[in-house]
Amino acid sequence: IMCRVDVSGYDTAESAVTVKVTPVGAGLEEAEVKVVAIDANGQEFVSDWGTDRTRALSLPVGVYVFKAFIRTEDGPEADGYFAVEKAVTDRVAALGVPVPKTLAYDVSRTETGFSWQIIPYVDASDLNALFKAGELDWSAVAPAIGRAIATWQGVTASGFGPFSASRADRTGELVALHPSAESYYRLNLRRHVDYLVRNDFLAEEDARRIFAAVEAHIAALDRPGVLVHKDTALWNMLGTATEVRSFIDWDDAIVGDAMDDPSLMACFHGRDVLRTIVAGYEEVRPLPPDAAPRFWLDLLRNMLFKAVIRVGAGYFRRDARFFLVAGGESLEAVTRRKIGAALEGLEQEREFL
């Protein structure tokens, strides 16, 4: 695949370079690629590429260097979500939130058996590494996260849940696939709870309480949807100990509830961090009506989903070197505690801060 990539402002005097993306291996189904940049004189520069799905590439263009990430996706679902990422990040960037600009992408899988995307290289650590090293300054970073969440909620889209990738690719529109917040919230809820009961993570009484609490409060979600990153975590933020330079990995973005992204941060961090995030959020916009029950509903749903993944993947058997684990509490204990807190928050109608 040949494409022209806009590289203005990315460490090169060129306004654009031609990039050739070709599969490597026995056939087109290989999700390993070779990337070649072609300068204005037609000279080709081959990148040093490995087998990782996401890898930094550095290509000399004349006397300059074009640096970027290239990401590939060859999953059987062929969801084309790189098109959604471009539509989302274009809108988020227009609001002033630092996000990667999609330089080029292809989701057709017609010339290769995989989708690919080229985004700028950000020379910065992910904030989770800084957090685990004890270097992250929450007083600076947490308000910035809150302000960013509140700002990207200004992106408008119809429907709820994941976006139509085909619409995003054809027209750039953001149209979500579910008709209501309740229908999206209930999607696979019973299946997930039943799975956790069968695997002895939840008791039958826990399941009964969960369904009763959801029934009692789900009407609070009957509000207009907002843009939700849906994987709001420190490893999806690049920067320094005091600054977020880029919010990355928008491939889970949805239309959802205004308290969903704050609740996702609460999946990993305590109330002090959440208070500071909310303080930053309120610098941009006030908390929405019924913020507390919506927060607890979102936290409960997110933690149940994470519990399914963690039980199925055996994450509870990992040690502190595993990227989700920080501090002395086990991941299983944290997961149970967060589900319990969300459930009690709904049952006892607690405030969330």
Side-chain angles (χ1 to χ4, degrees):
I1 296 175
M2 300 282 287
C3 62
R4 290 285 282 173
V5 175
D6 177 8
V7 295
S8 55
Y10 293 107
D11 297 324
T12 172
E14 309 278 345
S15 61
V17 296
T18 300
V19 174
K20 180 165 61 177
V21 180
T22 55
V24 175
L28 293 180
E29 298 305 314
E30 298 293 326
E32 180 183 350
V33 296
K34 179 174 72 174
V35 183
V36 176
I38 305 171
D39 71 7
N41 299 318
Q43 184 175 358
E44 294 191 355
F45 299 89
V46 180
S47 68
D48 180 17
W49 186 253
T51 58
D52 295 337
R53 297 290 178 84
T54 302
R55 181 76 176 269
L57 62 93
S58 182
L59 296 168
V61 181
V63 297
Y64 300 94
V65 175
F66 164 50
K67 292 184 177 181
F69 282 118
I70 186 163
R71 303 166 69 200
T72 59
E73 174 56 54
D74 64 347
E77 64 278 2
D79 59 20
Y81 230 61
F82 285 155
V84 170
E85 279 200 83
K86 173 171 172 50
V88 167
T89 54
D90 282 354
R91 288 165 171 78
V92 173
L95 295 176
V97 178
V99 294
K101 175 184 179 181
T102 297
L103 302 176
Y105 78 95
D106 181 78
V107 295
S108 68
R109 300 195 181 198
T110 54
E111 297 184 59
T112 64
F114 54 86
S115 301
W116 57 267
Q117 174 198 65
I118 300 175
I119 59 176
Y121 175 79
V122 180
D123 187 12
S125 171
D126 76 79
L127 298 194
N128 193 56
L130 296 172
F131 170 62
K132 292 185 72 173
E135 299 173 2
L136 192 66
D137 182 355
W138 279 116
S139 67
V141 168
I145 294 170
R147 288 190 294 270
I149 291 171
T151 301
W152 70 57
Q153 289 183 359
V155 173
T156 58
S158 61
F160 285 85
F163 294 103
S164 167
S166 60
R167 288 282 288 274
D169 191 36
R170 288 197 316 270
T171 68
E173 294 177 280
L174 288 176
V175 179
L177 300 174
H178 293 269
S180 68
E182 180 174 346
S183 65
Y184 176 63
Y185 189 94
R186 292 184 184 276
L187 181 68
N188 295 323
L189 175 62
R190 184 165 294 276
R191 184 163 69 91
H192 288 166
V193 172
D194 288 348
Y195 174 86
L196 294 173
V197 171
R198 288 197 310 273
N199 284 272
D200 298 321
F201 183 80
L202 292 177
E204 291 284 357
E205 175 60 15
D206 297 326
R208 185 200 64 76
R209 289 174 61 205
I210 287 169
F211 292 129
V214 169
E215 291 301 323
H217 294 282
I218 198 165
L221 298 181
D222 186 19
R223 304 281 183 173
V226 299
L227 178 65
V228 176
H229 183 287
K230 204 53 181 174
D231 196 9
T232 320
L234 292 179
W235 48 83
N236 285 330
M237 304 172 197
L238 305 179
T240 67
T242 59
E243 178 187 18
V244 185
R245 292 183 179 173
S246 189
F247 293 88
I248 65 172
D249 284 358
W250 289 81
D251 49 353
D252 289 326
I254 62 163
V255 176
D257 182 60
M259 298 307 295
D260 202 349
D261 276 330
S263 81
L264 283 158
M265 288 298 296
C267 290
F268 303 102
H269 306 287
R271 189 162 292 181
D272 288 346
V273 170
L274 183 62
R275 286 194 186 101
T276 314
I277 290 172
V278 169
Y281 181 101
E282 291 184 305
E283 292 178 28
V284 177
R285 66 177 73 237
L287 285 173
D290 297 323
R294 292 164 68 174
F295 172 86
W296 294 125
L297 282 165
D298 292 336
L299 179 62
L300 178 63
R301 191 68 190 92
N302 286 322
M303 288 307 307
L304 290 171
F305 180 74
K306 291 179 186 300
V308 169
I309 295 173
R310 293 169 184 180
V311 169
Y315 284 1
F316 295 151
R317 297 188 296 272
R318 306 290 183 92
D319 63 20
R321 291 170 293 180
F322 187 50
F323 75 104
L324 289 177
V325 178
E329 193 174 14
S330 74
L331 183 61
E332 180 174 0
V334 171
T335 306
R336 292 184 182 279
R337 177 168 57 80
K338 296 286 186 177
I339 291 173
L343 187 52
E344 290 178 7
L346 290 169
E347 291 174 333
Q348 300 177 21
E349 299 186 350
R350 291 178 178 171
E351 293 300 317
F352 71 98
L353 292 177

